[in-house]
Amino acid sequence: MSGRGRKAVLPPPDFQATERIAADGLQVTVLNKEGFERVFDFAAIGVPQPMRCSLARAFAAQSMGWNSHASGESYWGSIEVFARFLKDQGQPAEDLGDLTSATLRLWRNNHKETPGGREALAKIRTLLKREPRLAQGLAAEELARPIPKKGKPSKQSYRPSERDQILLVAERQFRAALLRIRENTVLLARYRAGALAPDSRDWMIGTTLEHIAATGELPGYPDKDGKVYTRAERLLRGKNGGQTTGRLFLARPELTALAVIMTDRYGWNLSVYDRLYVPVITPSAGETTTVTYQVLVEKRRSGEGRWFDTENYTDSGADSPGRLITQALEAT
């Protein structure tokens, strides 16, 4: 039933839910809230076959409550850590039911001192508690022990002077990248408009930029050994060793610099960038010199049903909140 008492809409008659576990018992399919699938193959886990199947079943059961693939990847990483630990013991248990309290105690002691180790302990304990054969006995008592809490914080906030220095470096790095991309975008537009003399150096650069804009890669040609070579790299770099594909795209450090500036300006964290939609321009009655962007921000920690928040930023000049979004869209 819906919240207002109406009957929920039934799926089509031919609807079939996606099977979580493949017929071989080793491949688990996880669906995120958008309906996209991600397959986790337990055949690659370095433990005996029965334990692989048991871990796959526990993983599939746990995945019923997940909304994103990030949850699956996090559990998958912990399973890989657990599998390496068992392999290092020389004679790992054949199945989950064969795990002894001594093995689980050693697993705990080896991983309780680091944040990553404690995360693996918590996730593996969640999976192992789904195993009926570990529901009682000494192994069950070992699993019931609480995960140690972290000690003193290993991180501290930057001092104001340090923060200002980081922002200054990030702004300089992104500004240089924006000017580079802007210059080459203008050259590409002139090439597309036929404003460049054929066979001139700028025309040849324009043809290469056209290929980069369409594919994200340099135009290449295979040699007799099947290796790809390109003359465009020397053309784009020039005498001063400049950029190649970076003439139109941000490099990873430059993209990080942009994220640093946006984090300081808008208060977003890393999880927001993973799912950030392209901002859209909202209509402004009578406004011709300003642009207002509507940004749909996804904050999963806000709780079910309150993930999305709409933020508006107006670009009305050099220091306005929306100017950075205008520049980010131009650079990307």
Side-chain angles (χ1 to χ4, degrees):
M1 299 290 285
S2 69
R4 296 185 178 180
R6 297 192 299 268
K7 289 184 178 180
V9 178
L10 296 175
D14 59 347
F15 174 79
Q16 231 179 358
T18 302
E19 291 290 340
R20 294 273 173 171
I21 305 182
D24 61 2
L26 293 175
Q27 291 188 333
V28 179
T29 301
V30 174
L31 277 74
N32 64 6
K33 70 182 183 67
E34 288 86 10
F36 294 106
E37 297 181 357
R38 170 73 188 275
V39 177
F40 295 87
D41 189 1
F42 281 76
I45 298 298
V47 295
Q49 181 77 356
M51 186 177 291
R52 293 175 186 167
C53 294
S54 296
L55 285 171
R57 287 194 300 270
F59 185 87
Q62 187 68 22
S63 72
M64 298 298 290
W66 298 338
N67 291 302
S68 69
H69 291 155
S71 298
E73 292 166 357
S74 179
Y75 270 85
W76 181 257
S78 296
I79 289 174
E80 290 181 319
V81 173
F82 185 58
R84 287 195 296 269
F85 162 78
L86 292 177
K87 185 178 180 180
D88 291 342
Q89 305 314 304
Q91 294 181 341
E94 189 70 14
D95 204 345
L96 293 182
D98 300 323
L99 291 172
T100 65
S101 61
T103 299
L104 293 176
R105 188 179 305 112
L106 182 61
W107 155 250
R108 173 192 175 88
N109 291 337
N110 285 2
H111 294 81
K112 66 181 182 180
E113 299 298 336
T114 63
R118 288 189 291 268
E119 181 182 1
L121 285 176
K123 286 181 167 54
I124 293 300
R125 183 176 72 167
T126 299
L127 295 179
L128 294 184
K129 281 188 172 182
R130 291 185 173 275
E131 174 55 54
R133 291 168 292 181
L134 296 176
Q136 56 185 357
L138 296 177
E141 293 178 7
E142 187 64 35
L143 287 176
R145 296 177 62 188
I147 303 300
K149 295 182 179 180
K150 61 181 180 180
K152 295 181 179 180
S154 59
K155 298 179 181 179
Q156 61 182 7
S157 301
Y158 289 110
R159 293 191 295 271
S161 59
E162 294 174 325
R163 170 187 166 277
D164 292 343
Q165 184 63 30
I166 291 172
L167 282 175
L168 180 61
V169 172
E171 289 169 353
R172 288 175 175 173
Q173 189 171 16
F174 174 66
R175 177 66 177 172
L178 176 63
L179 293 177
R180 180 189 72 237
I181 292 173
R182 183 178 291 167
E183 178 184 354
N184 284 276
T185 301
V186 170
L187 178 60
L188 177 59
R190 293 181 61 204
Y191 168 79
R192 289 172 173 172
L196 300 177
D199 297 328
S200 65
R201 186 174 186 275
D202 281 350
W203 183 88
M204 290 187 290
I205 291 177
T207 61
T208 304
L209 292 179
E210 180 71 45
H211 183 89
I212 293 174
T215 67
E217 300 177 349
L218 289 172
Y221 310 91
D223 61 14
K224 61 180 181 180
D225 297 324
K227 297 180 181 179
V228 175
Y229 69 96
T230 175
R231 290 183 294 244
E233 183 173 3
R234 180 177 298 178
L235 173 68
L236 294 180
R237 289 192 185 279
K239 296 181 180 180
N240 299 323
Q243 299 280 341
T244 54
T245 55
R247 281 178 173 250
L248 293 178
F249 301 114
L250 293 173
R252 187 176 294 273
E254 296 164 346
L255 193 60
T256 301
L258 173 59
V260 168
I261 304 170
M262 298 182 83
T263 297
D264 178 73
R265 183 72 56 86
Y266 306 124
W268 299 337
N269 58 27
L270 186 60
S271 64
V272 171
Y273 296 113
D274 288 341
R275 307 177 182 90
L276 187 63
Y277 293 86
V278 177
V280 297
I281 298 176
T282 59
S284 300
E287 291 289 347
T288 58
T289 59
T290 64
V291 177
T292 298
Y293 297 100
Q294 187 177 83
V295 185
L296 186 62
V297 178
E298 186 173 353
K299 300 178 180 179
R300 296 187 173 236
R301 292 186 178 181
S302 298
E304 186 71 29
R306 300 190 299 274
W307 284 355
F308 294 96
D309 185 26
T310 301
E311 300 177 4
N312 295 320
Y313 299 103
T314 299
D315 179 2
S316 58
D319 296 325
S320 60
R323 176 52 57 94
L324 181 58
I325 293 181
T326 299
Q327 294 174 340
L329 291 172
E330 183 179 0
T332 56

